[in-house]
Amino acid sequence: EAAVAYARAVGEAPALATEAEGLRLHVLTSSATGYKGVRKQASGRFRAEHSAGHGKQNSLGIFDTAVEAAVAYARAVGEAPVLAEAEEQAAEAEWLAEAEAEAAEAEDPQAAEAEAAGAEDPQAAAAVAVEEALMEPPVERDRATTDNKLWMGSFDRGWRIRERYRGSAKSGHWSYVSPTGDAFSSAAEAIEGAAAAAAAAMAAAEAPQMEGSAAIAAAGAVMAEVSPLP
């Protein structure tokens, strides 16, 4: 009580008080205030707070002196134990780690809140997992499988066989995607689509303004590859 009274009178204790109001205070020399769980505010007053986990802090109140705030902290978490030097160093290192986490949260509070929500809320954690999965490229079949499922040379012409939706490869649901991005639900539909596109290209190439162009040869090559249909 005397330490608190003196601190009130002069605004700050001349020497760091280790006990007050019958409690051993949590002294922390690396803290600007000298006490664990006590922070000085811009107003000059002192906030007492203790960790609630996941980077969150529970406020214990705002006080005129660091000693009063340290007393509130000791009442909330229990008075400081009598520690050996090695234990004191370990406790100080733990507090420093908490302080760094709080500083990171202050820089990006939204990210910290999202991380905490993900740890506490199963739905939020699932949403994070889905978001991570969406960042992964879709599963795609290789050249040999594509040529075997469609026709020889289809892979080199830009055809791809990709999972229809995320995770559908496990259940065997695939999409057959043309070079222009058209998707077909089966190999037969894809081959029919390729043949129709080749026929249309050939018809366009045979128009007077394109007569004799290389487009006829290209379309004919595709028609030869996909016909007769399986």
Side-chain angles (χ1 to χ4, degrees):
E1 292 182 2
V4 172
Y6 184 88
R8 280 180 180 158
V10 301
E12 197 170 329
L16 203 61
T18 58
E19 294 187 10
E21 298 188 16
L23 296 170
R24 285 190 302 275
L25 305 181
H26 294 258
V27 175
L28 189 64
T29 56
S30 60
S31 170
T33 63
Y35 299 101
K36 182 178 181 181
V38 176
R39 303 185 186 281
K40 189 172 184 178
Q41 297 189 304
S43 64
R45 303 184 74 193
F46 298 85
R47 176 185 293 276
E49 58 189 11
H50 70 90
S51 175
H54 306 300
K56 295 183 178 180
Q57 297 290 324
N58 280 343
S59 177
L60 303 172
I62 299 174
F63 303 87
D64 292 331
T65 68
V67 174
E68 289 177 294
V71 169
Y73 180 86
R75 283 177 177 156
V77 303
E79 65 178 330
V82 179
L83 300 177
E85 184 177 354
E87 292 175 314
E88 288 180 352
Q89 292 176 353
E92 186 165 331
E94 180 182 355
W95 183 88
L96 287 173
E98 292 179 358
E100 290 176 358
E102 291 166 11
E105 179 183 358
E107 292 179 0
D108 192 352
Q110 292 182 343
E113 289 176 6
E115 182 179 352
E120 296 174 353
D121 186 350
Q123 291 183 346
V128 171
V130 169
E131 183 177 353
E132 291 176 350
L134 290 175
M135 295 175 64
E136 294 294 326
V139 176
E140 189 173 277
R141 308 302 288 269
D142 59 15
R143 178 195 302 272
T145 304
T146 301
D147 286 352
N148 184 56
K149 291 283 187 180
L150 294 174
W151 65 88
M152 190 59 62
S154 60
F155 188 91
D156 288 339
R157 289 195 176 276
W159 283 81
R160 295 293 182 267
I161 302 177
R162 299 186 181 121
E163 59 180 350
R164 194 171 300 172
Y165 49 86
R166 298 290 175 175
S168 68
K170 296 179 181 179
S171 56
H173 294 150
W174 299 93
S175 283
Y176 300 80
V177 184
S178 74
T180 58
D182 296 323
F184 301 88
S185 59
S186 69
E189 288 182 2
I191 293 171
E192 289 177 2
M202 180 170 287
E206 289 174 343
Q209 66 271 23
M210 297 183 63
E211 191 170 357
S213 70
I216 298 177
V222 175
M223 289 289 290
E225 288 176 357
V226 300
S227 300
L229 296 179

